[in-house]
Amino acid sequence: MPEISSDTDFQTVITTFEMTPGTCYDLLEELKDAYHNFIQHQPGFIGAGLHVNDAQTRIANYSQWRRREDFLAMLRTPEMRERNRRIGALCKHFEPVMYDVADTFG
């Protein structure tokens, strides 16, 4: 499970995907498959969540890694490069962005 805290050195990655309602659940299934069968087994992976907006035009993905290098190494694997080509074909645009937690509330 991800731990959202400014007291950790974990790498947070938030990826947004833009798609049409017609491809939303195809993309969601592709992302779930990637997490179940590949990403969660990579060194440094801590946890992730997938969120779909009510119009089914956006998916937000929150993932957490022990180190930035772990996330980048996963992206560079041949399997993830192939998966990203399939993911890219199902959406208009996607962009992973690395963040540091600045603060938490609640």
Side-chain angles (χ1 to χ4, degrees), residues 26-46:
D26 294 332
L27 177 57
L28 187 60
E29 288 304 313
E30 187 70 38
L31 292 169
K32 287 177 172 182
D33 184 72
Y35 273 104
H36 286 296
N37 294 308
F38 181 70
I39 298 171
Q40 73 175 346
H41 305 292
Q42 298 309 295
F45 177 78
I46 296 170

Side-chain angles (χ1 to χ4, degrees), residues 7-57:
D7 295 334
T8 69
D9 290 331
F10 298 156
Q11 180 64 65
T12 300
V13 181
I14 300 174
T15 306
T16 54
F17 302 84
E18 184 179 349
M19 80 291 299
T20 65
T23 59
C24 179
Y25 282 98
D26 294 332
L27 177 57
L28 187 60
E29 288 304 313
E30 187 70 38
L31 292 169
K32 287 177 172 182
D33 184 72
Y35 273 104
H36 286 296
N37 294 308
F38 181 70
I39 298 171
Q40 73 175 346
H41 305 292
Q42 298 309 295
F45 177 78
I46 296 170
L50 293 166
H51 309 266
V52 178
N53 75 334
D54 60 349
Q56 299 178 357
T57 57

